């Protein structure tokens, strides 16, 4: 009789780092997305869990760790003996927690294969994000039980250098009392950081004898930094001093296009909120696009002009339906209005012949587009695949230049469903610090499905046409980049925030209080 052997499972003890999903090591990331079961500690932020779930196996199970270390070890061993890959995900570094060390010891007594994937310690990582250097031996610890601390040794370490401790906010009073009883000077500088490495990280500075009151309202895990290093925060605090830190920014775009803009906003410290205002759908009748694709293959066109990423996607999807690829564009030149559209073309292995160096708009493209010459251009026809609501500016301009234009509906844009009531209320009441408009249709549709942004909300637009539409709807345009692109738009908003901060800093205190400027930048000075 042949016995069927169960597949061998294994266990990974993975350090999540201090919270920012970007601080996961590559090995930790791989272990998590390959896992069948993930047991996570309460100290792991929801934002990090959400990022992992988005990439994890479809049937992966995520469960919170409950009970003592022995109970967690039993859950992990049961999964591994069933042939599964099990992960215990902990905040910081696995060996920074005594309970996890006990779990590893319990698993090591069995024949189950295991690994321990290190992570950046909470205390050390958050201290760096808070701008507090820990020179020398870089004394840092993730504390589970404050009662087990050697307060005299801590007081000596702080007097000699700087120290960082990750503790529960509820243990701050016990920590203060222990340090003072051990003889630490009550005037020693202290920083307390909540939501370390998160979108709403906040650090308050005080002294040993007053930090508990200063940290009133902090919950969950916090990081305490003590000693001379705290004084360096003014110059080294980089995470909380990013240009758009704490700004809630409304991103009204199609769902597919919002990701790149949101990523750039997060890099500047903003908290983006994506609200789809446009849904992209195929044209009602495909005949036009069918003829256009056939014309491309047959050499009917000298140029294809792409005005948006959606237009590029629509043409390539139609190519895919017919089993065509980039080789069938041979002999056809391509022009793109903006860099984002050009990047979409390059992604398919084709280099556009023309992208406006100046204004990235219909007018900018027409300014650089050559008139038709019967000798140099034996084929005098241009394909213009666009949205059903596109303006006539480009087609009319090409005709004036002597080109024949096939203005084809490649896709339809329809108004998206209204956002949830709380988002609509925030838009109207000034709950967003800024809104970024990337087209006239995003202006019209946002106002149509959610109402006009409040007057205190900073309005940033990608180009002149979008600015005109915003003005028509009674919006004050505060920011417009020199070049119409998403990176330039976000950069322009960040520069505006810096200028605003500098302007407010230069105001007398009384004038600041009377200023009409709103948002996180203004509130820092009040």
């Amino acid at each position: 009789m042949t016995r069927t052997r169960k597949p061998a499972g294994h266990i990974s003890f993975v350090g999540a780092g201090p919270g920012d999903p970007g601080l996961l090591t590559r090995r930790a990331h791989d272990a998590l997305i390959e896992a069948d079961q993930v047991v996570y500690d309460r100290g792991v932020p929801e934002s990090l869990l959400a990022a992992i779930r988005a990439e994890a196996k479809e049937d992966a199970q995520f469960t919170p760790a409950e009970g003592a270390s022995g109970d967690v070890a039993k859950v992990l061993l049961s999964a591994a003996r069933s042939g599964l890959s099990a992960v215990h995900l902990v905040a910081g570094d696995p060996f920074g927690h005594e309970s996890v060390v006990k779990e590893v010891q319990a698993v090591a007594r069995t024949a189950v294969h295991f690994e321990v994937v290190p992570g950046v310690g909470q205390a050390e990582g958050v201290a760096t994000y808070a701008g507090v250097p820990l020179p020398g031996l870089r004394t840092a610890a993730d504390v589970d039980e404050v009662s087990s601390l050697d307060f005299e040794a801590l007081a000596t370490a702080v007097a000699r250098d700087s120290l960082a401790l990750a503790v529960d906010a509820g243990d701050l009073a016990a920590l203060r009392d222990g340090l003072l009883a051990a003889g630490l000077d009550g005037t020693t500088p202290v920083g307390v950081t909540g939501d370390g490495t998160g979108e709403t990280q906040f650090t308050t500075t005080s002294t040993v004898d007053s930090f508990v009151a200063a940290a009133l309202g902090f919950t969950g895990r916090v990081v305490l930094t003590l000693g001379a290093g705290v004084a360096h925060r003014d110059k080294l605090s980089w995470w909380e001093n990013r240009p758009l830190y704490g700004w809630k920014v409304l991103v009204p775009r199609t769902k597919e296009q919002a990701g790149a803009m949101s990523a750039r906003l997060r890099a500047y410290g903003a908290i983006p909120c994506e609200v789809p205002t446009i849904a992209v759908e195929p044209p009602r009748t495909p005949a036009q696009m069918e003829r256009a694709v056939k014309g491309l293959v047959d050499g009917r066109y000298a140029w294809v002009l792409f005005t948006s990423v959606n237009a590029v996607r629509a043409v390539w999807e139609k190519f895919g339906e017919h089993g065509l690829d980039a080789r069938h564009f041979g002999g056809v030149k391509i022009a793109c209005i903006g860099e984002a559209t050009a990047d979409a073309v390059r992604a398919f292995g084709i280099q556009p012949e023309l992208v406006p160096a100046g204004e990235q708009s219909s007018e900018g493209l027409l300014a650089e587009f050559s008139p038709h010459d019967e000798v140099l251009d034996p084929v005098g026809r241009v394909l213009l695949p666009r949205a059903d609501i596109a303006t006539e500016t480009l087609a009319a301009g090409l005709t004036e230049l002597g080109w024949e234009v096939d203005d084809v509906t490649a896709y339809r844009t329809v108004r998206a469903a209204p956002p949830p009531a709380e988002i609509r209320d925030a838009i109207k009441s000034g709950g967003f610090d800024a809104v970024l408009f990337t087209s006239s249709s995003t202006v019209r549709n946002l106002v149509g499905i959610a109402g006009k942004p409040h007057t205190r909300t900073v309005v940033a637009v990608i180009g002149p046409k979008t600015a005109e539409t915003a003005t028509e709807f009674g919006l004050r345009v505060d920011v417009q980049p020199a070049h119409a692109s998403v990176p330039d738009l976000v950069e322009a908003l960040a520069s505006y925030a810096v200028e605003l901060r500098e302007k407010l800093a230069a105001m007398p205190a009384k004038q600041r209080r009377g200023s009409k400027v709103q948002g996180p930048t203004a509130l820092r000075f009040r």
Side-chain angles (χ1 to χ4, degrees):
M1 179 179 176
T2 303
R3 292 185 177 179
T4 303
R5 192 170 183 177
K6 287 184 178 180
H10 68 275
I11 296 170
S12 299
F13 296 91
V14 174
D20 182 351
L23 295 181
L24 275 178
T25 66
R26 181 174 295 181
R27 180 71 198 104
H29 174 268
D30 291 346
L32 287 162
I33 65 173
E34 293 165 7
D36 299 298
Q37 183 168 354
V38 177
V39 180
Y40 58 89
D41 283 0
R42 65 184 178 88
V44 177
E46 183 55 42
S47 59
L48 190 146
L49 290 172
I52 295 166
R53 286 191 179 100
E55 294 188 69
K57 290 181 178 179
E58 194 172 328
D59 57 350
Q61 300 293 315
F62 285 77
T63 56
E66 296 178 351
S69 56
D71 298 325
V72 176
K74 288 177 183 177
V75 171
L76 299 171
L77 286 168
S78 175
R81 285 167 176 157
S82 298
L84 302 178
S85 298
V87 169
H88 184 188
L89 181 64
V90 302
D93 182 78
F95 281 175
H97 304 272
E98 186 178 345
S99 59
V100 179
V101 173
K102 291 179 180 178
E103 290 171 26
V104 177
Q105 291 171 335
V107 172
R109 289 193 288 267
T110 72
V112 173
H113 173 68
F114 72 92
E115 66 175 345
V116 181
V117 182
V120 177
Q122 273 189 307
E124 188 171 9
V126 174
T128 299
Y129 268 51
V132 179
L134 302 175
L137 297 177
R138 294 184 66 82
T139 308
D142 296 346
V143 180
D144 289 329
E145 295 291 337
V146 170
S147 59
S148 66
L149 290 173
D150 184 341
F151 285 103
E152 290 187 2
L154 289 178
T156 301
V158 173
R160 184 181 65 246
D161 214 327
S162 297
L163 174 70
L165 300 172
V167 299
D168 286 333
D171 291 332
L172 289 177
L175 192 59
R176 174 203 58 197
D177 295 345
L179 289 169
L180 291 173
L184 184 62
D185 187 344
T187 62
T188 301
V190 174
V192 182
T193 303
D195 189 30
T197 77
E199 289 182 328
T200 58
Q201 172 182 307
F202 181 72
T203 303
T204 179
T205 55
S206 54
T207 57
V208 171
D209 53 12
S210 63
F211 74 81
V212 175
L216 206 62
F218 282 55
T219 59
R221 297 286 284 183
V222 298
V223 169
L224 199 73
T225 48
L226 305 99
V230 177
H232 293 286
R233 260 187 53 77
D234 288 345
K235 293 184 178 179
L236 301 183
S237 177
W238 62 278
W239 185 252
E240 294 169 50
N241 283 341
R242 289 174 295 165
L244 296 173
Y245 193 76
W247 282 51
K248 293 181 180 178
V249 179
L250 187 63
V251 182
R253 306 198 75 192
T254 62
K255 189 174 182 181
E256 294 79 8
Q257 294 174 323
M261 178 179 282
S262 293
R264 287 185 175 275
L265 285 166
R266 288 191 183 94
Y268 280 108
I271 305 171
C273 176
E274 298 171 3
V275 176
T277 58
I278 301 171
V280 176
E281 296 183 358
R284 287 191 174 88
T285 57
Q288 269 192 327
M289 279 291 286
E290 293 286 346
R291 286 195 297 270
V293 169
K294 185 177 185 302
L296 282 170
V297 176
D298 293 343
R300 176 179 172 81
Y301 301 108
W303 286 87
V304 180
L305 271 58
F306 288 114
T307 60
S308 70
V309 173
N310 287 325
V312 177
R313 186 179 295 118
V315 170
W316 251 266
E317 286 176 356
K318 188 60 68 173
F319 261 49
E321 291 176 12
H322 291 278
L324 305 174
D325 56 33
R327 291 171 295 180
H328 294 89
F329 267 87
V332 180
K333 290 182 281 190
I334 295 178
C336 301
I337 275 189
E339 283 297 336
T341 305
D343 287 341
V345 171
R346 294 184 188 110
F348 290 100
I350 299 177
Q351 183 65 34
E353 277 75 15
L354 175 60
V355 181
E359 183 181 320
Q360 296 191 334
S361 64
S362 296
E363 291 81 357
L365 182 60
L366 288 170
E368 298 185 30
F369 205 83
S370 300
H372 177 243
D373 187 306
E374 292 184 0
V375 176
L376 299 176
D377 306 305
V379 178
R381 189 173 292 273
V382 173
L383 175 61
L384 186 57
R386 305 192 290 170
D388 57 331
I389 60 172
T391 62
E392 299 299 320
T393 304
L394 188 54
L398 291 168
T399 301
E400 288 182 12
L401 291 172
W403 294 94
E404 294 182 63
V405 181
D406 281 358
D407 195 352
V408 174
T409 298
Y411 61 95
R412 292 184 299 124
T413 56
V414 298
R415 184 175 290 178
E422 59 269 23
I423 299 294
R424 298 198 303 272
D425 291 342
I427 290 171
K428 296 172 186 176
S429 64
F432 289 100
D433 300 294
V435 56
L436 272 61
F437 290 116
T438 55
S439 67
S440 293
S441 56
T442 56
V443 178
R444 287 191 293 266
N445 289 345
L446 180 71
V447 174
I449 65 175
K452 287 171 56 175
H454 194 278
T455 54
R456 71 162 61 97
T457 302
V458 174
V459 175
V461 299
I462 199 165
K465 290 293 184 185
T466 309
E468 287 178 16
T469 305
T471 303
E472 289 172 8
F473 278 85
L475 300 178
R476 179 198 66 251
V477 175
D478 302 295
V479 177
Q480 182 182 323
H483 294 91
S485 71
V486 167
D488 287 324
L489 178 59
V490 176
E491 179 71 32
L493 180 64
S495 297
Y496 178 84
V498 171
E499 292 172 6
L500 193 63
R501 180 186 302 171
E502 292 172 350
K503 181 179 178 181
L504 286 167
M507 287 183 183
K510 289 182 179 180
Q511 193 175 346
R512 284 181 211 154
R513 286 192 291 270
S515 172
K516 294 181 180 180
V517 178
Q518 304 295 323
T521 300
L523 292 175
R524 290 192 183 105
F525 295 95
R526 296 188 179 180

